């Protein structure tokens, strides 16, 4: 049952939050890249390098499970991403253009995963938000979970999921088009830069959107409280 005003977030434990962020970024982003590059540079096959790069998210999942006694959804998606990359690396023809286009298939499949999660009880961005907007403590997690009762919060999580999923799908389509219209050297450069540009844009959009949604929620709550004090029905 929803209440009139959303509860204020508990104070975050700065050191715990910072440590959680460092562990997540280290094992889910830095470690896979370093493991893949090192193994690939030392002559291991691409499939082996990709497979072993998944050790980072696996270790992060174990640490998170021992620390918080629950599964880390961010690490699960990271593992899914590694798995998709491995599948794409193992299948399909090996001509140069197809090899370059394969990178975009992973982004596209990830975007589809985001969009499909809209059919679940809670979309994927709800879990990512809980990962990065809280410090993982029971108090903060409980607060985040309680926010689901508010229509504005649910709408924000679904809208963010739509934006991220659509962006990944469009990025994949754009990269495939570029593969078959530009030179190989140019495409390699684009493949190394475009994903970071897209992620950076999405992170910026998410932060800005969350701030706007939060401000709108506070304004609505204040208007409802003022209308109640004045003895008038609150605006919908």
């Amino acid at each position: 049952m929803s209440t009139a005003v959303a509860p204020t977030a508990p104070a975050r434990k700065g050191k715990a939050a910072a440590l959680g962020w460092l562990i997540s970024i280290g094992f889910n982003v830095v470690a896979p890249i370093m493991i893949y590059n090192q193994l690939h540079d030392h002559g291991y096959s691409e499939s082996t390098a990709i497979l072993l790069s998944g050790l980072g998210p696996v270790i992060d999942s174990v640490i998170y499970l021992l620390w918080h006694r629950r599964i880390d959804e961010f690490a699960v998606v990271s593992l899914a991403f590694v798995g998709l990359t491995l599948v794409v690396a193992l299948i399909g023809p090996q001509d140069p253009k197809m090899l370059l286009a394969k990178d975009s298939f992973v982004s596209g499949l990830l975007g589809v995963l985001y969009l499909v999660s809209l059919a679940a009880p809670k979309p994927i961005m709800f879990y990512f938000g809980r990962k990065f907007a809280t410090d993982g403590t029971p108090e903060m997690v409980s607060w985040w979970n309680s926010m689901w009762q508010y229509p504005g919060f649910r709408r924000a999580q679904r809208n963010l999921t739509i934006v991220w999923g659509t962006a990944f799908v469009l990025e994949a389509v754009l990269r495939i088009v570029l593969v078959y219209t530009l030179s190989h050297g140019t495409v390699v450069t684009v493949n190394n830069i475009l994903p970071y540009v897209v992620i950076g844009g999405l992170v910026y959009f998410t932060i800005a959107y969350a701030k706007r949604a939060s401000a709108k929620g506070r304004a609505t709550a204040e208007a409802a409280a003022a209308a109640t004090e004045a003895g008038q029905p609150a605006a919908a």
Side-chain angles (χ1 to χ4, degrees), residues 173-192:
V173 172
L174 175 61
R175 288 168 71 177
I176 290 174
V177 170
L178 294 178
V179 164
Y180 289 96
T181 55
L182 301 178
S183 67
H184 288 180
T186 302
V187 173
V188 169
T189 301
V190 170
N191 279 354
N192 288 330

Side-chain angles (χ1 to χ4, degrees), residues 100-205:
L100 290 171
K102 279 184 175 184
D103 291 339
S104 64
F105 296 157
V106 177
S107 296
L109 289 172
L110 188 62
V112 171
L113 175 64
Y114 273 71
L115 297 177
V116 168
S117 77
L118 292 167
K122 294 182 178 68
I124 201 168
M125 288 304 292
F126 170 84
Y127 300 103
F128 278 16
R130 189 171 67 187
K131 171 74 173 180
F132 292 105
T134 75
D135 56 16
T137 59
E139 296 80 9
M140 287 291 287
V141 170
S142 177
W143 163 75
W144 183 264
N145 291 341
S146 73
M147 293 296 291
W148 187 254
Q149 65 184 298
Y150 301 101
F153 180 82
R154 296 195 297 270
R155 182 168 55 253
Q157 301 308 309
R158 291 190 174 108
N159 287 345
L160 287 172
T161 301
I162 291 172
V163 169
W164 278 68
T166 302
F168 283 135
V169 171
L170 291 178
E171 179 207 342
V173 172
L174 175 61
R175 288 168 71 177
I176 290 174
V177 170
L178 294 178
V179 164
Y180 289 96
T181 55
L182 301 178
S183 67
H184 288 180
T186 302
V187 173
V188 169
T189 301
V190 170
N191 279 354
N192 288 330
I193 296 175
L194 185 59
Y196 296 101
V197 172
V198 172
I199 291 292
L202 286 172
V203 170
Y204 177 82
F205 170 81

Side-chain angles (χ1 to χ4, degrees), residues 2-114:
S2 64
T3 56
V5 180
T8 303
R12 296 184 63 171
K13 298 180 180 179
K15 291 183 178 180
L19 181 58
W21 274 63
L22 287 175
I23 291 175
S24 292
I25 298 300
F27 283 112
N28 290 286
V29 179
V30 178
I33 294 174
M34 291 183 63
I35 292 172
Y36 173 82
N37 287 337
Q38 285 297 314
L39 293 177
H40 196 267
D41 291 345
H42 284 78
Y44 287 84
S45 67
E46 184 174 4
S47 58
T48 299
I50 292 172
L51 181 61
L52 292 179
S53 71
L55 289 175
V58 169
I59 295 173
D60 183 48
S61 295
V62 172
I63 293 174
Y64 196 89
L65 182 60
L66 294 175
W67 191 353
H68 298 291
R69 298 294 190 273
R70 62 184 177 82
I71 296 297
D72 178 14
E73 297 84 6
F74 183 74
V76 170
V77 173
S78 296
L79 283 172
F81 185 81
V82 171
L84 289 174
T85 304
L86 180 61
V87 170
V88 169
L90 292 174
I91 63 176
Q94 301 295 310
D95 69 273
K97 288 189 178 296
M98 182 56 69
L99 286 173
L100 290 171
K102 279 184 175 184
D103 291 339
S104 64
F105 296 157
V106 177
S107 296
L109 289 172
L110 188 62
V112 171
L113 175 64
Y114 273 71

Side-chain angles (χ1 to χ4, degrees), residues 208-224:
Y209 181 85
K211 287 182 178 179
R212 289 198 303 270
S214 179
K216 183 178 179 180
R218 287 195 300 270
T220 300
E222 290 170 1

